Amino acid sequence: MLPEADIAFATRHASEESAMEKAGAQVLALYDTIKRSGPPDDALRATLMQTASALREKVEDNAIRAALLTVADVMPFWTTDIRFGRSATYAALLQYGEALADNAEWELAKKVYVLIANDAELDYDLDAAAQGYALAGMAFRMCADWDNSAASYARAIKLGVKNGDSFIVFRARGGLASNKRDRGDIPGAERELLSVIRSAEQLCPEAVIHANATLATVAQTAHQYERAITLSRRTLALAKNDHRLRTKALVDIANVLTDFGLPEVAREALQLVVATAPGRYVRVIALLNLFTLAVNAADPVRFDTLREQLRNTRLTPKQQTQFAILDAQGLRRLGYFDRARESLAVALQLAESHNFFQFSFEVEAETKQLHGAVESSLIGTPRCTPTPANEQARPMSSEIRRAVDDIHSLTASMSESPSVSR
Amino acid sequence: MRYVTLLGVLEMTHAVTALGGHASVIGVSSFAELMKKLENAPFDRIVLDPSLLTAADANTIVAYSKKHLVSMVAYTSFSPTALEACVILARNTSAQFVHRGSINERFTLKRALFLAPDAQLGQALLARLSKQMDLLPCEIRNTIAAMLQTGAGPSTPTDLAAQSGVARRSLDRWLTLAGFTSARLLIGAPTIVAGYQAITSSTIPLARVAGMLGCATQRCIDARFHALLGVTSSQLRHFPFEIPVAASMMAQRLAGVDNGIAAEGEADARYEHVDPISSWFDDVAGNRPTGSSGRASAGISIYQDQ
């Protein structure tokens, strides 16, 4: 049901995306001109108005368009009202970057963030600069550019301290922990996040929620399912008014429930996220998790449909690697050993070229499983492998039971509202 | 502290959550109602969403804030409807802008609500330092004036020099010529302006105020307050100074201005009896102020030990 609809959606929006990219480039070029040459003259004002009206007429109404229009609206104040004009332009450009990131356009988002961070720092707008660097750190991580990610986070921390912005400092430290998690240093990530939570509880409670959410993903990576559920439920409780974070927490819980052996509850939550989440990034994560469910269930129909859909979706390097590993697992379970081997080779290449050490371990484990499956097939066991060990339902603790109840009530409440707001 | 807010429903929820019961909040739903409230009773802060204001409304609120020296927080997204009012507020007031949708929105909002600069303190301090300020070149004067009015600004003398467009040595020379005792002390002044009301008029824990001011511990802000006011933050909370007294104390430490000299039209004589303010606290903490300028830098940076 969902996959076909989403493929159509992707095709229909491909041309609109390119129109949006063009509009973005145009607005950024205008920003660059105003920044370099001072007050906009009449010709430049006319171009700005043309760009804004073209955006209104030709581009679909979404977060990216709204952010670009705001940039176009506030840019004329760049030189006339320095205090307001500049900070407003930086804020609008940061919004544009975030809209791009939500849409999984990480390459462009990272360029926008770096541009803002550098310009704002030169302008002594430490707030915008620190935000820009912190967000750039995340965008670089998504592109698996570890050195630049670490450098951006370090700069964000430095400027955050200078500006007395403990939230940015803790957020950037959480980002560094995420880098460690993605590179397989689970104990290091956990140490850093626990330290952040300890310090933030006193100094900046607003930062605890993000560190808590990241710690849940670390626990899940370490196969500590109960702990991951407890942490994700805590995130849900803390993020009462933050729908964006709630959606992410919902995906995290669904992810853990998948690993825990409650695929039906997980599927219910994930399908809702795919249908309602406003940002493509979260939708793609949910799709990958649905793919995991199809792989675990060795369901050939769902596997093929979701596989096709994900192959047509723009994925980050991390998601590409995850996809390749899952693809190999699915193909092995369905008995297509040669194709599984090819996918594993792709996964290994991606993991090594981007230094995803955790995934390298997973590729190694999957390779062993594949060898085992090939040997078994030679001695005549069935082609379709049964449900894996971690998919077998385990006894439900009260924590897991509460998480399942949460999912049911959340999906019920979210189905009532057509989309999740930012 | 008393707040009056003109916000949308969601923004109001965020503001009330951020204040967390440490202040009294009165919400209004229209500009007319806001003005009525302001006419009836004084408020410490006005929190509003510029998208709910017309240009005329914005001009009215500017006139009010100039007359009554009330701090303002503008909590908004830059929608085309908000833009005109935003520009009017930015041009004519020291309103702090909190952008909706930024990653640090909640933290910035909380900081703006609690640490909105004490407009009266900033103004009184500028009045007392006016002779010294007049001797400074325009760029340095504007930067320092903005620092004292907005309660935010460069965090080191080198940054102050760079932001004013002069070399560090030139800055030191100009400040000395104008009669300022030290650039480092001057850098600490916005912290006092920003944190003064949160310390004297709210119940928010001092450690939390320290965190919002960018200090890891209370001891860090104590050092800053002690350097300019001769008292620690907890002493100030227990025995808050009147604004003119605090401004005179700060002017004294920043430029050796005597309590009665620089204030324009303010009855400083009323506070003559409080001359030995620091002695009030001798029995509280045995912490006799020395006026040492070096203490401002004694603060420990938050995150270095983590």
Side-chain angles (χ1 to χ4, degrees), chain B residues 55-296:
Chain B
D57 295 343
N59 282 319
T60 311
I61 203 81
V62 165
Y64 179 89
S65 76
K66 277 189 176 161
K67 192 174 167 195
H68 297 275
L69 288 178
V70 187
S71 310
M72 242 190 294
V73 176
Y75 183 30
T76 187
S77 52
F78 293 120
S79 58
T81 46
L83 217 48
E84 199 174 6
C86 280
V87 172
I88 293 170
L89 293 178
R91 278 185 190 165
N92 302 297
T93 69
S94 57
Q96 285 188 302
F97 283 84
V98 179
H99 308 310
R100 292 276 286 115
S102 63
I103 52 166
N104 55 354
E105 177 187 334
R106 305 288 171 89
F107 176 78
T108 319
L109 175 66
K110 196 183 224 178
R111 197 157 68 156
L113 291 175
F114 281 113
L115 303 184
D118 190 312
Q120 292 182 10
L121 180 59
Q123 207 63 33
L125 186 56
L126 276 173
R128 280 160 177 76
L129 294 173
S130 61
K131 285 184 184 168
Q132 287 74 19
M133 295 286 280
D134 286 346
L135 296 172
L136 293 171
C138 175
E139 294 80 6
I140 303 178
R141 189 172 60 233
N142 289 345
T143 312
I144 294 174
M147 275 165 53
L148 298 179
Q149 279 168 341
T150 60
S155 54
T156 64
T158 311
D159 286 351
L160 172 60
Q163 206 160 327
S164 310
V166 296
R168 170 67 204 269
R169 278 187 175 188
S170 303
L171 174 79
D172 286 340
R173 199 173 58 243
W174 277 113
L175 289 178
T176 309
L177 279 173
F180 285 98
T181 49
S182 125
R184 192 162 285 284
L185 261 189
L186 199 55
I187 292 296
T191 311
I192 314 290
V193 174
Y196 197 80
Q197 277 206 347
I199 288 173
T200 56
S201 319
S202 82
T203 55
I204 187 165
L206 291 172
R208 198 63 65 75
V209 177
M212 288 191 289
L213 286 168
C215 300
T217 59
Q218 200 181 319
R219 187 188 285 187
C220 171
I221 53 163
D222 281 349
R224 292 187 193 180
F225 272 76
H226 200 278
L228 282 167
L229 285 174
V231 291
T232 63
S233 54
S234 52
Q235 287 168 342
L236 188 64
R237 176 159 278 182
H238 285 113
F239 303 102
F241 300 152
E242 295 284 342
I243 294 290
V245 179
S248 295
M249 290 283 294
M250 288 175 73
Q252 168 73 35
R253 309 241 167 170
L254 286 171
V257 179
D258 282 343
N259 281 354
I261 295 178
E264 285 174 13
E266 284 186 18
D268 274 0
R270 287 184 302 162
Y271 303 103
E272 273 173 7
H273 69 283
V274 296
D275 240 347
I277 289 162
S278 48
S279 65
W280 296 357
F281 306 104
D282 286 354
D283 56 337
V284 177
N287 204 1
R288 183 179 287 278
T290 60
S292 153
S293 61
R295 302 198 70 142

Side-chain angles (χ1 to χ4, degrees), chain A residues 70 73-74 77 81 83-84 88 91 98 124 127 131 161-167 169 173 199 202-204 206, chain B residues 78 80 83 86-87 90-91 93 95 99 101-104 107 110-111 155 159 162 208 211 214-216 301 303 306:
Chain A
T70 312
D73 282 339
V74 296
F77 299 103
D81 295 81
R83 180 179 155 228
F84 170 75
E98 283 196 77
Y124 300 100
D127 182 41
Q131 280 187 61
V161 169
K162 219 171 176 181
N163 196 32
D165 190 338
S166 31
F167 180 86
V169 174
R173 286 182 55 196
S199 314
Q202 257 225 324
L203 286 169
C204 179
E206 296 81 10
Chain B
F78 293 120
L83 217 48
C86 280
V87 172
R91 278 185 190 165
T93 69
H99 308 310
S102 63
I103 52 166
N104 55 354
F107 176 78
K110 196 183 224 178
R111 197 157 68 156
S155 54
D159 286 351
R208 198 63 65 75
C215 300
S301 178
Y303 311 99
Q306 289 161 358

Side-chain angles (χ1 to χ4, degrees), chain A residues 76-131:
Chain A
F77 299 103
W78 178 264
T79 42
T80 56
D81 295 81
I82 291 184
R83 180 179 155 228
F84 170 75
R86 299 204 173 181
S87 81
T89 306
Y90 293 136
L93 281 169
L94 280 168
Q95 248 175 44
Y96 172 51
E98 283 196 77
L100 288 170
D102 273 350
N103 210 30
E105 313 257 6
W106 294 105
E107 283 291 337
L108 186 53
K110 109 189 153 188
K111 286 178 192 160
V112 173
Y113 289 143
V114 171
L115 174 79
I116 303 160
N118 288 338
D119 287 354
E121 195 179 352
L122 284 175
D123 257 349
Y124 300 100
D125 187 338
L126 296 189
D127 182 41
Q131 280 187 61

Side-chain angles (χ1 to χ4, degrees), chain A residues 74-246:
Chain A
V74 296
M75 259 195 303
F77 299 103
W78 178 264
T79 42
T80 56
D81 295 81
I82 291 184
R83 180 179 155 228
F84 170 75
R86 299 204 173 181
S87 81
T89 306
Y90 293 136
L93 281 169
L94 280 168
Q95 248 175 44
Y96 172 51
E98 283 196 77
L100 288 170
D102 273 350
N103 210 30
E105 313 257 6
W106 294 105
E107 283 291 337
L108 186 53
K110 109 189 153 188
K111 286 178 192 160
V112 173
Y113 289 143
V114 171
L115 174 79
I116 303 160
N118 288 338
D119 287 354
E121 195 179 352
L122 284 175
D123 257 349
Y124 300 100
D125 187 338
L126 296 189
D127 182 41
Q131 280 187 61
Y133 282 120
L135 290 164
M138 183 166 88
F140 278 119
R141 178 172 76 245
M142 290 301 170
C143 301
D145 185 344
W146 308 111
D147 291 344
N148 275 320
S149 175
S152 299
Y153 281 133
R155 193 82 197 135
I157 290 173
K158 193 173 178 188
L159 294 179
V161 169
K162 219 171 176 181
N163 196 32
D165 190 338
S166 31
F167 180 86
I168 289 287
V169 174
F170 291 128
R171 190 76 197 264
R173 286 182 55 196
L176 286 171
S178 297
N179 282 5
K180 286 183 181 171
R181 175 203 60 202
D182 284 359
R183 300 187 72 184
D185 180 5
I186 303 296
E190 183 163 345
R191 248 193 326 271
E192 181 72 17
L193 288 165
L194 288 175
S195 156
V196 167
I197 290 172
R198 224 176 10 252
S199 314
E201 266 167 356
Q202 257 225 324
L203 286 169
C204 179
E206 296 81 10
V208 172
I209 185 170
H210 294 278
N212 192 70
T214 314
L215 191 58
T217 61
V218 171
Q220 197 208 336
T221 314
H223 305 294
Q224 300 166 353
Y225 301 123
E226 295 243 359
R227 188 168 172 235
I229 287 276
T230 309
L231 290 163
S232 292
R233 289 191 67 240
R234 192 168 165 226
T235 307
L236 273 178
L238 290 170
K240 270 183 197 146
N241 297 320
D242 193 334
H243 293 294
R244 197 182 190 194
L245 207 55
R246 281 175 79 84

